[in-house]
Amino acid sequence: MTHEAAGVPTTRNDEDRQDNHRPDAPRPTPGAGDAPEAPDASGAAEAAAGEPGGPEDAAQRPETRLARAVQVAEQALIEFEIAVETFRVEVENFSRLHHQKLGPMYTRLDELDALIAEARAARTGDPEDERKAREARAVVMPMPGVDELFHDWMDTDGLSPEAAAMLTEQPVRPPKRVRPSEEARRLYRDLARKAHPDLAQDEVERQRRDEFIARVNAAYGRGDVELLKELVAEWEAGPVQPPAPLSESEELYARLEWLSRRKELLTVLAKELEDGAIGSMLRMAPDDPDQLLEDIAEQLLGEVSRREAELAEMVQ
């Protein structure tokens, strides 16, 4: 990462938002369908550099300017995260409502298309019409059977023990498993002997061993030999040593690096939301997405009525 002035990362938005990088500048709130813009780091750069010419600024320590830069970048990132989360919620809610409100209509249209194609094929006997009828029917999702809906939750006597336990608020018994392999059992026994919490000399070490053995037990329960091998290597390497303490400047630079990476991740997320199918639909009606659902529903109802009328004419 390159550093401007006293260490602020350069971003791609420096020339795009000259007026918005002041801490006191109002920030627009994106509406539905508006993908949030990434925060501009130039404000942090100015905060780090300070305004030249003043004796007070000239006497400031570099760490003070860096701290100001971090504060500006943090505030910009918070606003960006709020905007991204707002947009994400709008996309998620729109997607859920779209499925609930319009899903049955799409299903009905698929069923009508299949019925119309089958009626046409029965009337003409044309192989091409019969092929189209099969394709149309294949689009319609079949109703799942009881076995599919309640797989592993029902047996000949009714509810499975696991389901009955959940319904009666009793502890759920672990599901049946294939016995772990001999290698998994060997690795498990070796780890359990070495890392057993009773071997701890103090409470901190006991807690570390408790957490480690819990991971060992989970890996053994799944029969995961590779993970058990990784745990063996981890235990043999010993506890992770705390890193050497950073200087004040190093901590501030590390914070700026993290803020920059976080901003890039949020930018990617915002772009994915905007370019997705639901985000694209939201852009069609950024001011009133609820009305957009009503408009689409009205159009689909019209399509359903037309197809029903067509089907009625064909089966008369």
Side-chain angles (χ1 to χ4, degrees), residues 3-168:
H3 302 284
E4 294 182 7
V8 179
T10 303
T11 69
R12 296 189 297 272
N13 298 323
D14 291 340
E15 298 179 0
D16 296 336
R17 301 176 62 204
Q18 293 289 337
D19 297 329
N20 291 336
H21 55 215
R22 300 192 308 275
D24 58 343
R27 303 181 65 85
T29 301
D34 294 335
E37 296 182 3
D40 190 351
S42 57
E46 292 178 1
E51 295 182 5
E56 181 179 351
D57 288 334
Q60 281 186 345
R61 297 165 55 242
E63 291 81 2
T64 303
R65 297 200 304 271
L66 271 175
R68 290 176 58 194
V70 168
Q71 184 178 17
V72 171
E74 286 175 340
Q75 290 300 316
L77 186 64
I78 288 172
E79 294 297 326
F80 188 43
E81 289 199 30
I82 291 172
V84 172
E85 179 63 13
T86 300
F87 187 56
R88 186 197 65 78
V89 169
E90 291 173 352
V91 169
E92 184 177 293
N93 289 347
F94 190 90
S95 177
R96 183 182 296 110
L97 291 171
H98 181 273
H99 177 74
Q100 292 174 350
K101 190 178 187 66
L102 307 182
M105 298 184 189
Y106 287 120
T107 301
R108 178 59 178 163
L109 283 173
D110 289 340
E111 176 66 24
L112 288 170
D113 285 340
L115 291 172
I116 290 171
E118 289 167 349
R120 182 179 295 111
R123 189 172 60 183
T124 66
D126 189 304
E128 181 63 17
D129 288 339
E130 293 176 351
R131 182 189 64 80
K132 292 180 180 179
R134 289 192 297 270
E135 291 180 352
R137 176 54 61 186
V139 171
V140 181
M141 294 184 62
M143 180 66 70
V146 173
D147 291 341
E148 293 179 71
L149 289 172
F150 298 100
H151 176 64
D152 204 28
W153 283 85
M154 292 186 69
D155 54 22
T156 56
D157 297 325
L159 288 174
S160 68
E162 291 78 15
M166 291 186 69
L167 292 174
T168 56

Side-chain angles (χ1 to χ4, degrees), residues 305-316:
S305 298
R306 283 190 288 274
R307 281 172 170 77
E308 287 178 340
E310 181 181 356
L311 178 63
E313 292 180 359
M314 297 183 67
V315 298
Q316 284 180 351

Side-chain angles (χ1 to χ4, degrees), residues 232-311:
V232 168
E234 179 181 331
W235 184 259
E236 291 177 350
V240 177
Q241 298 299 321
L246 300 176
S247 67
E248 183 180 358
S249 296
E250 289 173 333
E251 288 183 353
L252 290 169
Y253 273 119
R255 180 63 175 166
L256 282 175
E257 289 279 3
W258 184 89
L259 290 168
S260 178
R261 291 195 300 271
R262 177 66 177 164
K263 183 211 71 174
E264 293 299 327
L265 290 174
L266 289 170
T267 302
V268 172
L269 174 59
K271 182 65 173 173
E272 291 176 351
L273 289 170
E274 183 185 38
D275 292 345
I278 298 299
S280 299
M281 292 182 70
L282 280 172
R283 289 202 303 272
M284 297 170 59
D287 298 327
D288 194 356
D290 294 312
Q291 185 59 46
L292 175 60
L293 282 175
E294 297 294 335
D295 294 342
I296 297 175
E298 186 176 350
Q299 294 175 10
L300 290 176
L301 283 174
E303 289 295 326
V304 168
S305 298
R306 283 190 288 274
R307 281 172 170 77
E308 287 178 340
E310 181 181 356
L311 178 63

